[in-house]
Amino acid sequence: MSSNLVSVHTPPPLSNTPKTTPLYQRIYIPTHVYTHPSAILLELCTSTKELHQILPLIIKNGFYNEHLFQTKLVSLFCKFGSMNEASRVFEPVEEKLDVLYHTMLKGYAKNSTLCDSLRFYNRMKVDEVKPVVYDFTYLLQLCGEDLDYRKGREIHGMLIVNGFESNLFAMTSVVNLYAKCRKLDDARKMFDRMPCKDLVSWNTVVAGYAQNGFARKALWLVSDMREDGQKPDSITLVSVLPAVADIKGLRIGRSIHGYAFRSGFENMVNFSAALLDMYFKCGSVETGRLVFRRMSSKNVVSWNTVIDGLAQNGESEEAFGTFLKMLDEKVEPTNVSMMGALHACSNLGDLERGKFVHRLLDQMKLSSNVSVMNSLISMYSKCKRVDIAASVFDNLKGKTNVTWNAMILGYAQNGCVNEALNLFCTMQSEGIKPDSFTFVSVITAIADLSVTRQAKWIHGLTIRTNMDKNVFVATALVDMYAKCGAIETARELFDTMQERHVITWNAMIDGYGTHGLGKPALDLFDDMQKEASIKPNNTTFLSVISACSHSGFVEEGLYYFKTMKEHYGIEPSMDHYGAMVDLLGRAGKLDDAWNFIHEMPIKPGITVLGAMLGACKIHKNVELGEKAADMLFELDPDEGGYYMLVANMYASASMWDKVAKVRTAMEKKGLHKTPGCSLVEWRNEVHTFYSGSTNHPQSKRIYAFLETLGNEIRAAGYVPDTNSIHDVEEDVKEQLLSSHSERLAIAFGLLNTKAGTTIHIRKNLRVCGDCHEATKYISLVTGREIIVRDLQRFHHFKNGRCSCGDYW
């Protein structure tokens, strides 16, 4: 509307009729108004632009002063979100009808803030406009959207004062408000007080329970609903299916599917999408695929559900293929589609496909969406390109807590511990309050660093911020202390937790396992099975079998592998098969391990064959080792560690010509041996040592001390194992062994700490047999406890013994 339109054509008062006169007596609308083209055009109007084109026709024909047109104009401006122009029509009207007020209030509720809407409602009271029930439902809906419980209660009170307490529509809105504000007790109380209930009110309370995590109560309400004579419709089912997914109630979900089929809801797009989501979240991937194939009409939500569902169930290759098919069928992807595709790329670790999605984001101008960018940061981090992830992070405007968390976790996952901690400090300095996910990410980084001082610092910070009560933060702390070698502290923290999740039990069981404490791990698993609310999952059994493997509990490991499928219905994954091969192989049952591989229902992967190869190296079985290596290298692993396993296996058998061939093959492939690296903390700094390195400021002192220490441990009975080295003199062999990274780190720790102090070492590779033997003697002659965390487990050396019992 032009700026002078209202001032030039200000409508005069309709009449001097008192306002108390009934509406039908106060309004006279000539018959020709209904049939005039301008009235018809108003009904067909679809935008503010079209409305401005029609206005001159309305004014020219003298209809602007008609209350019907005034109300219609206000309604349309509100519908198109133009509240300023709606007000310019509303304000000049001298004799405003109540319906005009109600229309304006609806417009404020739809297009403005709760405060603006309440301000206009108060004006209505001043102008003595009698409210109608819809005024309150609009305001209640707005309170629900803002999660403003206090103002919602006030409006509920106004509703009662105005006599609408028994109005079905009004009370349904009240129930909806309390449900959205997570006040389920209040919602249920209001619902129970309703003298009569219709399908909408039942759906409202069912959705309230379902959306607030009370899945079982939501399902019970559906049962009550049917007893009350109300037949669930598609809205009921769409509301309750997420609740079924939350409790993994596949059997219930199938019953709902059957009911929907009989009721004719199966082909409704929204219901089908909810059904797809339920099946995928319940792990029934094949049924989810079938439902999707049978859908006669697929919208973008359906495609998104399948892409994300497949990725969440480990079918990431198919998930990405579905994304490409969606593009081929000209379905325009949304932000959710892109996040699903990026999730699949993350799981696959496929950088090239991740970059393809990134280019697509730029082309479709979706790269301004923060949630999508968070997924992009996570994808690059999981694809080992944390540098690109950091670049995306730095260039992103409007960072949320999720953004900071994704980047901190990305650094942690890539071993960039200092960067993760620095970013955490930057986050706090910029006034961004860390949440539970932030702390979990930081704790994960510190767990990887395995520094007790840092562990105590972050634990103290969680206590000061009251985050230590969060089950996920507390679980991360348990895992961190276990990975820092403080297994007793981890258990003390575990025992004090008021709430435990399945991942909490898994973390503690895994902690015991990596410390070689198989018996406590199995005892804790027995305690877990007695907890009615906790059900072991695939990670639980992986931790249990690994604990058995580290402690030589072969029969127990076989029993739990069998129990996993027969009693709990959990299908073994490749990791479970790898753990079983490791269990049998470590115990020297190489033939059993080899037969186990050939009896597997799936083709053995790299982890399975790698475990077999490692066992053959330990027990010097070259024949089986070569067979495992041939199968392993057919899979073309790009990890040089497997080639080094073969080389070391040949070296232990003094097959030096074959050692040379393996190393030549590595050179041709461009693969390199990962250099041995050990870390030790001293005076708030982490000192890093590489095998044979001399660049540390204390190098001369360290090597001199090692020479003296070597004499002492030889006098105590240590005999160097030089069988893995050839082509050099015996004294040179011993010198090479004594310069391994863990020896340098141990020597540094002994030189720079007081007597009685425990030395904590972290190594990036498996401890070699000679260093393991030497460290036992070092702990004996120095009277120190030395804790070494290698690639696979912890070794606690004390008084000439190791906690692993020489079984690792």
Side-chain angles (χ1 to χ4, degrees), residues 44-69:
L44 299 175
C45 192
T46 60
S47 67
T48 306
K49 182 179 178 182
E50 292 179 2
L51 188 52
H52 280 297
Q53 292 172 347
I54 298 167
L55 267 172
L57 181 63
I58 295 172
I59 296 167
K60 179 180 177 181
N61 287 279
F63 295 144
Y64 189 81
N65 294 333
E66 298 285 354
H67 284 281
L68 174 68
F69 277 93

PDB file of all heavy atoms in Angstrom, residues 44-69:
ATOM      1  N   LEU A  44      -8.723 -14.416  -4.455  1.00  0.00           N
ATOM      2  CA  LEU A  44      -7.715 -15.108  -5.269  1.00  0.00           C
ATOM      3  C   LEU A  44      -6.303 -14.587  -5.026  1.00  0.00           C
ATOM      4  O   LEU A  44      -5.342 -15.117  -5.594  1.00  0.00           O
ATOM      5  CB  LEU A  44      -8.055 -14.966  -6.760  1.00  0.00           C
ATOM      6  CG  LEU A  44      -9.401 -15.563  -7.205  1.00  0.00           C
ATOM      7  CD1 LEU A  44      -9.655 -15.236  -8.665  1.00  0.00           C
ATOM      8  CD2 LEU A  44      -9.403 -17.075  -6.994  1.00  0.00           C
ATOM      9  N   CYS A  45      -6.178 -13.536  -4.203  1.00  0.00           N
ATOM     10  CA  CYS A  45      -4.885 -12.885  -4.001  1.00  0.00           C
ATOM     11  C   CYS A  45      -3.890 -13.830  -3.318  1.00  0.00           C
ATOM     12  O   CYS A  45      -4.229 -14.504  -2.352  1.00  0.00           O
ATOM     13  CB  CYS A  45      -5.098 -11.640  -3.140  1.00  0.00           C
ATOM     14  SG  CYS A  45      -3.661 -10.581  -3.113  1.00  0.00           S
ATOM     15  N   THR A  46      -2.626 -13.864  -3.822  1.00  0.00           N
ATOM     16  CA  THR A  46      -1.619 -14.799  -3.281  1.00  0.00           C
ATOM     17  C   THR A  46      -0.354 -14.128  -2.778  1.00  0.00           C
ATOM     18  O   THR A  46       0.558 -14.800  -2.314  1.00  0.00           O
ATOM     19  CB  THR A  46      -1.227 -15.829  -4.362  1.00  0.00           C
ATOM     20  OG1 THR A  46      -0.670 -15.123  -5.492  1.00  0.00           O
ATOM     21  CG2 THR A  46      -2.410 -16.661  -4.798  1.00  0.00           C
ATOM     22  N   SER A  47      -0.252 -12.793  -2.878  1.00  0.00           N
ATOM     23  CA  SER A  47       0.960 -12.109  -2.423  1.00  0.00           C
ATOM     24  C   SER A  47       0.650 -10.646  -2.127  1.00  0.00           C
ATOM     25  O   SER A  47      -0.380 -10.108  -2.546  1.00  0.00           O
ATOM     26  CB  SER A  47       2.062 -12.190  -3.487  1.00  0.00           C
ATOM     27  OG  SER A  47       1.695 -11.447  -4.628  1.00  0.00           O
ATOM     28  N   THR A  48       1.569 -10.009  -1.420  1.00  0.00           N
ATOM     29  CA  THR A  48       1.425  -8.577  -1.119  1.00  0.00           C
ATOM     30  C   THR A  48       1.436  -7.762  -2.400  1.00  0.00           C
ATOM     31  O   THR A  48       0.687  -6.775  -2.532  1.00  0.00           O
ATOM     32  CB  THR A  48       2.585  -8.122  -0.204  1.00  0.00           C
ATOM     33  OG1 THR A  48       2.637  -8.958   0.941  1.00  0.00           O
ATOM     34  CG2 THR A  48       2.404  -6.684   0.244  1.00  0.00           C
ATOM     35  N   LYS A  49       2.259  -8.162  -3.354  1.00  0.00           N
ATOM     36  CA  LYS A  49       2.326  -7.444  -4.631  1.00  0.00           C
ATOM     37  C   LYS A  49       0.977  -7.445  -5.326  1.00  0.00           C
ATOM     38  O   LYS A  49       0.508  -6.403  -5.818  1.00  0.00           O
ATOM     39  CB  LYS A  49       3.386  -8.091  -5.522  1.00  0.00           C
ATOM     40  CG  LYS A  49       3.590  -7.408  -6.857  1.00  0.00           C
ATOM     41  CD  LYS A  49       4.678  -8.110  -7.664  1.00  0.00           C
ATOM     42  CE  LYS A  49       4.852  -7.447  -9.023  1.00  0.00           C
ATOM     43  NZ  LYS A  49       5.879  -8.139  -9.835  1.00  0.00           N
ATOM     44  N   GLU A  50       0.318  -8.608  -5.381  1.00  0.00           N
ATOM     45  CA  GLU A  50      -1.003  -8.692  -6.010  1.00  0.00           C
ATOM     46  C   GLU A  50      -2.034  -7.868  -5.236  1.00  0.00           C
ATOM     47  O   GLU A  50      -2.917  -7.237  -5.825  1.00  0.00           O
ATOM     48  CB  GLU A  50      -1.462 -10.145  -6.098  1.00  0.00           C
ATOM     49  CG  GLU A  50      -0.652 -10.986  -7.069  1.00  0.00           C
ATOM     50  CD  GLU A  50      -1.118 -12.431  -7.120  1.00  0.00           C
ATOM     51  OE1 GLU A  50      -2.108 -12.748  -6.418  1.00  0.00           O
ATOM     52  OE2 GLU A  50      -0.501 -13.239  -7.830  1.00  0.00           O
ATOM     53  N   LEU A  51      -1.889  -7.849  -3.912  1.00  0.00           N
ATOM     54  CA  LEU A  51      -2.832  -7.096  -3.086  1.00  0.00           C
ATOM     55  C   LEU A  51      -2.741  -5.605  -3.382  1.00  0.00           C
ATOM     56  O   LEU A  51      -3.759  -4.897  -3.464  1.00  0.00           O
ATOM     57  CB  LEU A  51      -2.536  -7.372  -1.606  1.00  0.00           C
ATOM     58  CG  LEU A  51      -3.524  -6.832  -0.582  1.00  0.00           C
ATOM     59  CD1 LEU A  51      -4.949  -7.240  -0.905  1.00  0.00           C
ATOM     60  CD2 LEU A  51      -3.147  -7.311   0.810  1.00  0.00           C
ATOM     61  N   HIS A  52      -1.537  -5.093  -3.568  1.00  0.00           N
ATOM     62  CA  HIS A  52      -1.352  -3.683  -3.917  1.00  0.00           C
ATOM     63  C   HIS A  52      -1.952  -3.361  -5.288  1.00  0.00           C
ATOM     64  O   HIS A  52      -2.404  -2.234  -5.534  1.00  0.00           O
ATOM     65  CB  HIS A  52       0.132  -3.329  -3.886  1.00  0.00           C
ATOM     66  CG  HIS A  52       0.659  -3.071  -2.510  1.00  0.00           C
ATOM     67  ND1 HIS A  52       0.223  -2.046  -1.721  1.00  0.00           N
ATOM     68  CD2 HIS A  52       1.591  -3.732  -1.771  1.00  0.00           C
ATOM     69  CE1 HIS A  52       0.861  -2.064  -0.560  1.00  0.00           C
ATOM     70  NE2 HIS A  52       1.692  -3.100  -0.563  1.00  0.00           N
ATOM     71  N   GLN A  53      -1.954  -4.332  -6.169  1.00  0.00           N
ATOM     72  CA  GLN A  53      -2.545  -4.119  -7.493  1.00  0.00           C
ATOM     73  C   GLN A  53      -4.072  -4.059  -7.435  1.00  0.00           C
ATOM     74  O   GLN A  53      -4.718  -3.390  -8.223  1.00  0.00           O
ATOM     75  CB  GLN A  53      -2.099  -5.254  -8.435  1.00  0.00           C
ATOM     76  CG  GLN A  53      -0.612  -5.214  -8.764  1.00  0.00           C
ATOM     77  CD  GLN A  53      -0.156  -6.445  -9.532  1.00  0.00           C
ATOM     78  OE1 GLN A  53      -0.879  -7.438  -9.616  1.00  0.00           O
ATOM     79  NE2 GLN A  53       1.047  -6.395 -10.089  1.00  0.00           N
ATOM     80  N   ILE A  54      -4.659  -4.741  -6.457  1.00  0.00           N
ATOM     81  CA  ILE A  54      -6.118  -4.789  -6.328  1.00  0.00           C
ATOM     82  C   ILE A  54      -6.650  -3.581  -5.551  1.00  0.00           C
ATOM     83  O   ILE A  54      -7.779  -3.125  -5.781  1.00  0.00           O
ATOM     84  CB  ILE A  54      -6.542  -6.095  -5.624  1.00  0.00           C
ATOM     85  CG1 ILE A  54      -6.120  -7.308  -6.472  1.00  0.00           C
ATOM     86  CG2 ILE A  54      -8.039  -6.147  -5.361  1.00  0.00           C
ATOM     87  CD1 ILE A  54      -6.205  -8.624  -5.733  1.00  0.00           C
ATOM     88  N   LEU A  55      -5.838  -3.024  -4.627  1.00  0.00           N
ATOM     89  CA  LEU A  55      -6.302  -1.946  -3.760  1.00  0.00           C
ATOM     90  C   LEU A  55      -6.924  -0.763  -4.509  1.00  0.00           C
ATOM     91  O   LEU A  55      -7.986  -0.264  -4.108  1.00  0.00           O
ATOM     92  CB  LEU A  55      -5.159  -1.459  -2.887  1.00  0.00           C
ATOM     93  CG  LEU A  55      -5.044  -2.129  -1.512  1.00  0.00           C
ATOM     94  CD1 LEU A  55      -3.782  -1.720  -0.811  1.00  0.00           C
ATOM     95  CD2 LEU A  55      -6.251  -1.787  -0.663  1.00  0.00           C
ATOM     96  N   PRO A  56      -6.291  -0.265  -5.579  1.00  0.00           N
ATOM     97  CA  PRO A  56      -6.915   0.877  -6.293  1.00  0.00           C
ATOM     98  C   PRO A  56      -8.329   0.557  -6.774  1.00  0.00           C
ATOM     99  O   PRO A  56      -9.206   1.422  -6.761  1.00  0.00           O
ATOM    100  CB  PRO A  56      -5.966   1.118  -7.475  1.00  0.00           C
ATOM    101  CG  PRO A  56      -4.645   0.590  -7.003  1.00  0.00           C
ATOM    102  CD  PRO A  56      -4.988  -0.604  -6.155  1.00  0.00           C
ATOM    103  N   LEU A  57      -8.580  -0.652  -7.196  1.00  0.00           N
ATOM    104  CA  LEU A  57      -9.910  -1.056  -7.661  1.00  0.00           C
ATOM    105  C   LEU A  57     -10.911  -1.013  -6.508  1.00  0.00           C
ATOM    106  O   LEU A  57     -12.058  -0.586  -6.671  1.00  0.00           O
ATOM    107  CB  LEU A  57      -9.832  -2.464  -8.261  1.00  0.00           C
ATOM    108  CG  LEU A  57     -11.134  -3.042  -8.832  1.00  0.00           C
ATOM    109  CD1 LEU A  57     -11.626  -2.176 -10.009  1.00  0.00           C
ATOM    110  CD2 LEU A  57     -10.910  -4.470  -9.314  1.00  0.00           C
ATOM    111  N   ILE A  58     -10.466  -1.435  -5.316  1.00  0.00           N
ATOM    112  CA  ILE A  58     -11.339  -1.411  -4.142  1.00  0.00           C
ATOM    113  C   ILE A  58     -11.701   0.028  -3.774  1.00  0.00           C
ATOM    114  O   ILE A  58     -12.858   0.352  -3.484  1.00  0.00           O
ATOM    115  CB  ILE A  58     -10.641  -2.112  -2.955  1.00  0.00           C
ATOM    116  CG1 ILE A  58     -10.446  -3.603  -3.254  1.00  0.00           C
ATOM    117  CG2 ILE A  58     -11.426  -1.932  -1.649  1.00  0.00           C
ATOM    118  CD1 ILE A  58      -9.600  -4.323  -2.238  1.00  0.00           C
ATOM    119  N   ILE A  59     -10.675   0.906  -3.795  1.00  0.00           N
ATOM    120  CA  ILE A  59     -10.898   2.315  -3.434  1.00  0.00           C
ATOM    121  C   ILE A  59     -11.785   3.007  -4.469  1.00  0.00           C
ATOM    122  O   ILE A  59     -12.727   3.738  -4.127  1.00  0.00           O
ATOM    123  CB  ILE A  59      -9.537   3.039  -3.313  1.00  0.00           C
ATOM    124  CG1 ILE A  59      -8.741   2.419  -2.162  1.00  0.00           C
ATOM    125  CG2 ILE A  59      -9.727   4.542  -3.093  1.00  0.00           C
ATOM    126  CD1 ILE A  59      -7.282   2.821  -2.149  1.00  0.00           C
ATOM    127  N   LYS A  60     -11.500   2.739  -5.738  1.00  0.00           N
ATOM    128  CA  LYS A  60     -12.251   3.380  -6.835  1.00  0.00           C
ATOM    129  C   LYS A  60     -13.728   3.046  -6.752  1.00  0.00           C
ATOM    130  O   LYS A  60     -14.596   3.887  -7.040  1.00  0.00           O
ATOM    131  CB  LYS A  60     -11.671   2.902  -8.171  1.00  0.00           C
ATOM    132  CG  LYS A  60     -12.394   3.475  -9.388  1.00  0.00           C
ATOM    133  CD  LYS A  60     -11.756   2.935 -10.656  1.00  0.00           C
ATOM    134  CE  LYS A  60     -12.530   3.455 -11.887  1.00  0.00           C
ATOM    135  NZ  LYS A  60     -11.953   2.917 -13.137  1.00  0.00           N
ATOM    136  N   ASN A  61     -14.056   1.845  -6.341  1.00  0.00           N
ATOM    137  CA  ASN A  61     -15.456   1.425  -6.294  1.00  0.00           C
ATOM    138  C   ASN A  61     -16.117   1.713  -4.941  1.00  0.00           C
ATOM    139  O   ASN A  61     -17.244   1.281  -4.694  1.00  0.00           O
ATOM    140  CB  ASN A  61     -15.565  -0.062  -6.618  1.00  0.00           C
ATOM    141  CG  ASN A  61     -15.320  -0.349  -8.092  1.00  0.00           C
ATOM    142  OD1 ASN A  61     -16.220  -0.195  -8.917  1.00  0.00           O
ATOM    143  ND2 ASN A  61     -14.093  -0.719  -8.435  1.00  0.00           N
ATOM    144  N   GLY A  62     -15.388   2.415  -4.052  1.00  0.00           N
ATOM    145  CA  GLY A  62     -15.989   2.843  -2.792  1.00  0.00           C
ATOM    146  C   GLY A  62     -16.158   1.747  -1.765  1.00  0.00           C
ATOM    147  O   GLY A  62     -16.969   1.886  -0.836  1.00  0.00           O
ATOM    148  N   PHE A  63     -15.397   0.665  -1.898  1.00  0.00           N
ATOM    149  CA  PHE A  63     -15.557  -0.452  -0.957  1.00  0.00           C
ATOM    150  C   PHE A  63     -14.588  -0.389   0.225  1.00  0.00           C
ATOM    151  O   PHE A  63     -14.675  -1.178   1.150  1.00  0.00           O
ATOM    152  CB  PHE A  63     -15.338  -1.804  -1.673  1.00  0.00           C
ATOM    153  CG  PHE A  63     -16.387  -2.087  -2.712  1.00  0.00           C
ATOM    154  CD1 PHE A  63     -16.049  -2.741  -3.898  1.00  0.00           C
ATOM    155  CD2 PHE A  63     -17.699  -1.703  -2.520  1.00  0.00           C
ATOM    156  CE1 PHE A  63     -17.004  -3.013  -4.850  1.00  0.00           C
ATOM    157  CE2 PHE A  63     -18.651  -1.975  -3.480  1.00  0.00           C
ATOM    158  CZ  PHE A  63     -18.326  -2.623  -4.655  1.00  0.00           C
ATOM    159  N   TYR A  64     -13.652   0.579   0.186  1.00  0.00           N
ATOM    160  CA  TYR A  64     -12.616   0.609   1.207  1.00  0.00           C
ATOM    161  C   TYR A  64     -13.193   0.818   2.603  1.00  0.00           C
ATOM    162  O   TYR A  64     -12.621   0.379   3.594  1.00  0.00           O
ATOM    163  CB  TYR A  64     -11.593   1.701   0.884  1.00  0.00           C
ATOM    164  CG  TYR A  64     -10.372   1.644   1.774  1.00  0.00           C
ATOM    165  CD1 TYR A  64      -9.345   0.758   1.507  1.00  0.00           C
ATOM    166  CD2 TYR A  64     -10.275   2.467   2.900  1.00  0.00           C
ATOM    167  CE1 TYR A  64      -8.249   0.678   2.330  1.00  0.00           C
ATOM    168  CE2 TYR A  64      -9.177   2.399   3.729  1.00  0.00           C
ATOM    169  CZ  TYR A  64      -8.154   1.503   3.438  1.00  0.00           C
ATOM    170  OH  TYR A  64      -7.063   1.432   4.266  1.00  0.00           O
ATOM    171  N   ASN A  65     -14.322   1.529   2.671  1.00  0.00           N
ATOM    172  CA  ASN A  65     -14.917   1.804   3.972  1.00  0.00           C
ATOM    173  C   ASN A  65     -15.811   0.678   4.482  1.00  0.00           C
ATOM    174  O   ASN A  65     -16.333   0.763   5.599  1.00  0.00           O
ATOM    175  CB  ASN A  65     -15.732   3.100   3.926  1.00  0.00           C
ATOM    176  CG  ASN A  65     -14.827   4.302   3.693  1.00  0.00           C
ATOM    177  OD1 ASN A  65     -13.662   4.267   4.044  1.00  0.00           O
ATOM    178  ND2 ASN A  65     -15.368   5.350   3.076  1.00  0.00           N
ATOM    179  N   GLU A  66     -15.993  -0.340   3.667  1.00  0.00           N
ATOM    180  CA  GLU A  66     -16.813  -1.469   4.087  1.00  0.00           C
ATOM    181  C   GLU A  66     -16.025  -2.332   5.080  1.00  0.00           C
ATOM    182  O   GLU A  66     -14.862  -2.667   4.871  1.00  0.00           O
ATOM    183  CB  GLU A  66     -17.194  -2.332   2.879  1.00  0.00           C
ATOM    184  CG  GLU A  66     -18.019  -1.600   1.832  1.00  0.00           C
ATOM    185  CD  GLU A  66     -19.451  -1.396   2.278  1.00  0.00           C
ATOM    186  OE1 GLU A  66     -19.828  -1.922   3.341  1.00  0.00           O
ATOM    187  OE2 GLU A  66     -20.186  -0.690   1.563  1.00  0.00           O
ATOM    188  N   HIS A  67     -16.656  -2.703   6.197  1.00  0.00           N
ATOM    189  CA  HIS A  67     -15.966  -3.492   7.222  1.00  0.00           C
ATOM    190  C   HIS A  67     -15.507  -4.849   6.692  1.00  0.00           C
ATOM    191  O   HIS A  67     -14.481  -5.375   7.122  1.00  0.00           O
ATOM    192  CB  HIS A  67     -16.897  -3.696   8.428  1.00  0.00           C
ATOM    193  CG  HIS A  67     -17.020  -2.477   9.263  1.00  0.00           C
ATOM    194  ND1 HIS A  67     -16.064  -2.097  10.170  1.00  0.00           N
ATOM    195  CD2 HIS A  67     -17.989  -1.513   9.313  1.00  0.00           C
ATOM    196  CE1 HIS A  67     -16.439  -0.980  10.764  1.00  0.00           C
ATOM    197  NE2 HIS A  67     -17.602  -0.600  10.258  1.00  0.00           N
ATOM    198  N   LEU A  68     -16.257  -5.400   5.754  1.00  0.00           N
ATOM    199  CA  LEU A  68     -15.857  -6.684   5.171  1.00  0.00           C
ATOM    200  C   LEU A  68     -14.500  -6.559   4.494  1.00  0.00           C
ATOM    201  O   LEU A  68     -13.610  -7.391   4.687  1.00  0.00           O
ATOM    202  CB  LEU A  68     -16.912  -7.155   4.171  1.00  0.00           C
ATOM    203  CG  LEU A  68     -16.552  -8.416   3.380  1.00  0.00           C
ATOM    204  CD1 LEU A  68     -16.514  -9.624   4.297  1.00  0.00           C
ATOM    205  CD2 LEU A  68     -17.536  -8.642   2.245  1.00  0.00           C
ATOM    206  N   PHE A  69     -14.331  -5.482   3.723  1.00  0.00           N
ATOM    207  CA  PHE A  69     -13.076  -5.291   3.018  1.00  0.00           C
ATOM    208  C   PHE A  69     -11.940  -4.924   3.977  1.00  0.00           C
ATOM    209  O   PHE A  69     -10.798  -5.355   3.800  1.00  0.00           O
ATOM    210  CB  PHE A  69     -13.235  -4.212   1.941  1.00  0.00           C
ATOM    211  CG  PHE A  69     -13.830  -4.734   0.668  1.00  0.00           C
ATOM    212  CD1 PHE A  69     -15.191  -4.667   0.452  1.00  0.00           C
ATOM    213  CD2 PHE A  69     -13.028  -5.331  -0.283  1.00  0.00           C
ATOM    214  CE1 PHE A  69     -15.754  -5.164  -0.706  1.00  0.00           C
ATOM    215  CE2 PHE A  69     -13.583  -5.830  -1.455  1.00  0.00           C
ATOM    216  CZ  PHE A  69     -14.946  -5.760  -1.664  1.00  0.00           C
TER     217      PHE A  69
END
